[in-house]
Amino acid sequence: MENNRPGVLIVDDLPSNRRMLARSLSTLEVEPFEAGSGEEALAIVEREPQLFVALLDVRMPGMDGYALAESIRRVPKAASLPIIFISAHEPDAYQPYRAYDSGAVDYLSKPVSPRVLLSKVRVFLDLYHQRRELETVVQQLAAVNEALSQQTLRLETTAEVMHRITSILDVDALLTRILSLIRERFGYTFAGIWMIREEDGEEDASVVLRAGQYGTPTPVPEPNAAIRLDAPRSIIARVCRTGTSYLSNHAQQDAVFLPTDRLPDIRAELTLPLRVGTTRLGALDIQSESPDAFSDADVTVLTILADQIAIAIRNARLYAEVRRLNEGLESEVIARTEELESAYRHLELLDRNKSDFITVVSHELRTPLTLIHGFSQMLRSDPVIAEDELRNKEVEGIVNGAHRLHTIVNSMLDVVKIDHRTLHLNCSTLSVDSLVEVLRSRLAPALDERRITLTTQGLADLPEIEADPDALTKVFNELLTNAIKYTPDGGSIAVEGRDMTEEQEGGDRYIEIIVRDSGVGIDPQALEMIFTKFYRTGEVTLHSSGRTKFKGGGPGLGLTVARGIVEAHGGRIWAESAGHDETALPGSAFHVVLPLIVPPSAL
Ligand code: ADP
């Protein structure tokens, strides 16, 4: 019997009628199922799934056509089977309402025309074919959907694992989480990560279980389980050794597969190498109790995961390394900062001591100095001493010494005022040109003695400025005296003036005065330090005491006072020099920039 052909159910109590109907349909690719009674027909309906139409004789002994149609409707798989009634020709024998009520879709009157029957049955056959096609498509779709949702699950797990890989930097936490994800989502029995132990030598290299997960009831594998790297029977050792993956879908028959007591029912094992570039780190090992557990799609997805896990392990190791280095660096920085802070505190203390020393010394010296000064003046005007040339010279020495000491004490007092910000300026309008001219005549004897020429340039063109004449005289006296002191005999000093007011686009207006000499110059490292109190270059004990002698020493306060005064005016002072050289004589230049009007904040 041809079981796959669509079936027609033909029910009639007369065999000749049934045969006639079956014959009419012989040109169709259908299987006729004949029944002589309602009971026989119902048995066929229950048995044959491929019926697509039923032809029922209305009048039959026992169960008639209507009763049979109602019974067929109650068979679940035939509930929608199309039914065509074949009625007798006497009109009252056919009751169309009853026929439709019992589920008929059509009816034919006897004698049945074979052509009409054929065309009606063909319509239902076409419908049947269409429905079957549709069912096939639906089944295919369902299969595709199933595959897709499997793939989605795999990809979701992959994505989740990758997300964790990037968000967890603690290697152990990361590995444990990844393994439980792989095991739970894919439903494997065991997932483990094995690492090649770095500290072992080539000879006894081994592979150690770094993290692993069985399912329940044995959730945790033996800690630190190890396999020798050269073990002949172990898929894990082999993958770690060769760096290539190994799939055993029928593990029990695999000679390399090494069974363990803890997992006696393993049937499949997939082991993937963990590598970054050419460096082998270990292996990702997955085992299942189902044979053929790993499809091609599984292998593809798990290989991607293994690659990501390897990178994550490498990154986590690097991160741990960097963190260790950072911690080292941080403590180093803290230690150095503490050292610097304590050195700074020490320097502050020294500076305060210096200030205190200056305050005490200058105040203590002032009174006796005034006495010496007064008495030496009296001695000088004594007629007896005036007549004695030797005594006169001695008294002159005392007067000069007292005068020089007086200047030093005054400088110290100035420094004290600058340190305490109590330097008061008595400003008036003055011309720098005339100020320098006064100093030129005051220093003329020294310039003559040392054969040093002093030239000026542009000073006469400078605008007048608001400044304290005495204070500013101290500044330029200091600069010119230093220029004489640090320039050998026969040298030159030039004072240049420059009006900067043109360069100013707005705000305060300034002039610049530069005192240049052709002297020994200043070491670049000392250019700033010479402005700190008591700073002197060279050997202190070798300094001669002359005010304007070549390299004549001083207390190292002059430039400190000069800077204090210039800054009190709201200006700036700095030194420039190519270096210190007593033979080449590179010279020095001291720049003073002063505002035309002293800004209120400076006063
Ligand atoms: P001092 O009273 O010793 O001259 P200063 O404060 O005036 O102290 O100068 C500090 C140091 O700056 C000097 O000891 C000197 O070494 C250096 N100095 C100052 N002016 C000049 C200059 N024109 N040429 C070279 N060195 C200079």
Side-chain angles (χ1 to χ4, degrees):
M1 193 165 95
E2 177 62 83
N3 260 338
N4 286 338
R5 291 210 302 186
V8 185
L9 177 64
I10 301 168
V11 191
D12 200 310
D13 53 323
L14 294 178
S16 56
N17 279 353
R18 297 202 296 269
R19 264 196 304 281
M20 189 275 288
L21 290 171
R23 229 183 359 257
S24 323
L25 303 174
S26 61
T27 53
L28 295 177
E29 282 283 304
V30 298
E31 185 69 31
F33 291 93
E34 294 179 23
S37 67
E39 288 75 16
E40 262 182 66
L42 279 174
I44 294 171
V45 166
E46 289 280 3
R47 198 181 65 225
E48 302 297 338
Q50 73 270 38
L51 295 178
F52 70 93
V53 69
L55 309 176
L56 307 191
D57 182 22
V58 172
R59 185 170 293 174
M60 290 188 289
M63 191 190 295
D64 68 4
Y66 305 128
L68 174 58
E70 277 157 16
S71 298
I72 289 176
R73 286 282 165 265
R74 282 195 289 274
V75 177
K77 62 180 168 188
S80 58
L81 181 68
I83 295 171
I84 300 173
F85 282 114
I86 315 280
S87 69
H89 50 244
E90 43 296 18
D92 57 333
Y94 177 66
Q95 300 167 6
Y97 294 113
R98 195 145 174 232
Y100 287 120
D101 282 352
S102 60
V105 293
D106 210 345
Y107 74 92
L108 294 167
S109 302
K110 289 177 181 172
V112 173
S113 147
R115 284 178 65 189
V116 172
L117 177 69
L118 192 66
S119 86
K120 295 214 171 201
V121 169
R122 186 180 281 132
V123 170
F124 290 109
L125 181 64
D126 286 349
L127 264 173
Y128 171 82
H129 280 308
Q130 281 169 13
R131 206 179 60 238
R132 287 301 295 268
E133 246 171 67
L134 209 74
E135 275 169 12
T136 321
V137 172
V138 167
Q139 270 168 14
Q140 284 171 347
L141 247 166
V144 168
N145 267 344
E146 172 64 20
L148 268 176
S149 58
Q150 286 282 332
Q151 193 68 9
T152 310
L153 181 69
R154 287 193 193 97
L155 288 176
E156 268 173 9
T157 309
T158 313
E160 198 170 332
V161 168
M162 288 185 187
H163 173 72
R164 299 213 175 254
I165 284 172
T166 47
S167 59
I168 308 178
L169 280 165
D170 174 329
V171 192
D172 290 301
L174 172 76
L175 298 185
T176 311
R177 191 71 199 110
I178 291 172
L179 292 176
S180 71
L181 272 173
I182 293 178
R183 215 184 48 69
E184 285 160 17
R185 294 291 173 82
F186 290 80
Y188 300 125
T189 315
F190 170 79
I193 286 172
W194 296 76
M195 306 294 289
I196 299 171
R197 190 147 58 195
E198 287 163 343
E199 51 273 23
D200 292 332
E202 287 269 311
E203 289 289 289
D204 350 76
S206 57
V207 193
V208 186
L209 182 66
R210 178 66 189 271
Q213 286 242 337
Y214 299 125
T216 45
T218 323
V220 187
E222 59 268 53
N224 297 325
I227 307 168
R228 283 183 64 91
L229 191 60
D230 56 8
R233 196 168 169 211
S234 157
I235 293 179
I236 294 160
R238 184 194 169 112
V239 170
C240 287
R241 217 164 43 229
T242 59
T244 48
S245 59
Y246 193 101
L247 169 62
S248 186
N249 257 333
H250 297 277
Q252 304 277 355
Q253 283 103 61
D254 197 317
V256 191
F257 174 71
L258 176 70
T260 67
D261 297 343
R262 286 198 169 216
L263 297 171
D265 300 319
I266 291 304
R267 294 289 178 276
E269 181 168 4
L270 170 65
T271 310
L272 300 157
L274 299 175
R275 311 171 287 219
V276 179
T278 51
T279 314
R280 269 174 278 160
L281 304 172
L284 167 65
D285 179 54
I286 303 157
Q287 302 184 20
S288 171
E289 288 177 354
S290 334
D292 282 318
F294 302 102
S295 67
D296 287 350
D298 292 334
V299 175
T300 309
V301 170
L302 289 167
T303 305
I304 296 172
L305 271 183
D307 289 345
Q308 293 300 319
I309 291 170
I311 293 170
I313 292 173
R314 206 261 322 257
N315 284 351
R317 281 181 180 172
L318 286 177
Y319 173 76
E321 184 75 6
V322 169
R323 210 171 49 180
R324 217 172 25 247
L325 278 176
N326 254 351
E327 276 163 10
L329 267 179
E330 259 169 42
S331 52
E332 183 89 343
V333 167
I334 290 171
R336 292 285 159 277
T337 311
E338 270 169 15
E339 275 173 28
L340 273 176
E341 277 172 355
S342 103
Y344 182 71
R345 277 195 298 274
H346 186 64
L347 279 176
E348 258 186 347
L349 191 71
L350 280 180
D351 198 57
R352 228 185 3 257
N353 286 348
K354 260 195 213 174
S355 290
D356 293 350
F357 171 75
I358 298 174
T359 313
V360 172
V361 169
S362 53
H363 282 101
E364 290 303 312
L365 282 180
R366 214 156 57 149
T367 321
L369 192 60
T370 313
L371 288 175
I372 295 172
H373 199 245
F375 283 119
S376 60
Q377 292 287 0
M378 279 166 63
L379 283 176
R380 193 160 60 171
S381 47
D382 188 315
V384 181
I385 290 173
E387 276 167 24
D388 186 332
E389 200 181 328
L390 185 65
R391 294 280 171 275
N392 198 15
K393 235 179 160 181
E394 285 168 353
V395 170
E396 201 57 38
I398 296 174
V399 171
N400 283 342
H403 181 71
R404 202 162 138 59
L405 212 55
H406 195 249
T407 318
I408 292 172
V409 169
N410 277 343
S411 293
M412 288 168 120
L413 285 170
D414 283 341
V415 169
V416 172
K417 286 183 201 153
I418 289 162
D419 275 352
H420 294 116
R421 302 192 182 283
T422 51
L423 188 74
H424 291 295
L425 300 179
N426 283 319
C427 289
S428 57
T429 307
L430 61 83
S431 125
V432 175
D433 187 30
S434 30
L435 191 144
V436 171
E437 284 313 315
V438 170
L439 284 171
R440 183 208 288 276
S441 46
R442 199 185 288 173
L443 293 167
L447 288 167
D448 286 347
E449 189 195 329
R450 303 277 319 283
R451 289 180 287 107
I452 292 173
T453 52
L454 171 64
T455 54
T456 60
Q457 192 196 326
L459 292 184
D461 302 331
L462 289 179
E464 290 194 318
I465 61 166
E466 185 195 37
D468 179 326
D470 290 341
L472 220 54
T473 304
K474 263 188 206 164
V475 171
F476 287 103
N477 181 49
E478 180 62 29
L479 296 183
L480 289 170
T481 311
N482 277 349
I484 296 170
K485 271 202 295 193
Y486 298 103
T487 301
D489 294 0
S492 61
I493 299 169
V495 184
E496 290 166 31
R498 200 162 70 85
D499 185 355
M500 296 169 76
T501 54
E502 296 300 306
E503 295 164 30
Q504 289 289 312
E505 300 218 330
D508 299 330
R509 300 166 66 196
Y510 293 89
I511 56 167
E512 182 179 23
I513 302 106
I514 307 163
V515 179
R516 283 183 211 283
D517 61 50
S518 62
V520 296
I522 303 163
D523 193 291
Q525 288 183 335
L527 285 173
E528 257 310 296
M529 284 188 299
I530 54 175
F531 291 96
T532 56
K533 45 186 174 271
F534 293 127
Y535 181 87
R536 291 128 38 114
T537 54
E539 179 60 65
V540 175
T541 49
L542 292 182
H543 280 208
S544 80
S545 55
R547 278 283 289 140
T548 50
K549 278 195 181 156
F550 181 46
K551 293 196 283 174
L557 292 175
L559 290 178
T560 313
V561 174
R563 176 167 271 181
I565 292 171
V566 170
E567 288 179 353
H569 280 84
R572 287 200 305 130
I573 178 169
W574 71 96
E576 288 176 4
S577 174
H580 179 91
D581 191 327
E582 297 192 8
T583 327
L585 302 172
S588 312
F590 283 79
H591 295 248
V592 180
V593 171
L594 289 166
L596 295 200
I597 311 278
V598 180
S601 59
L603 284 170

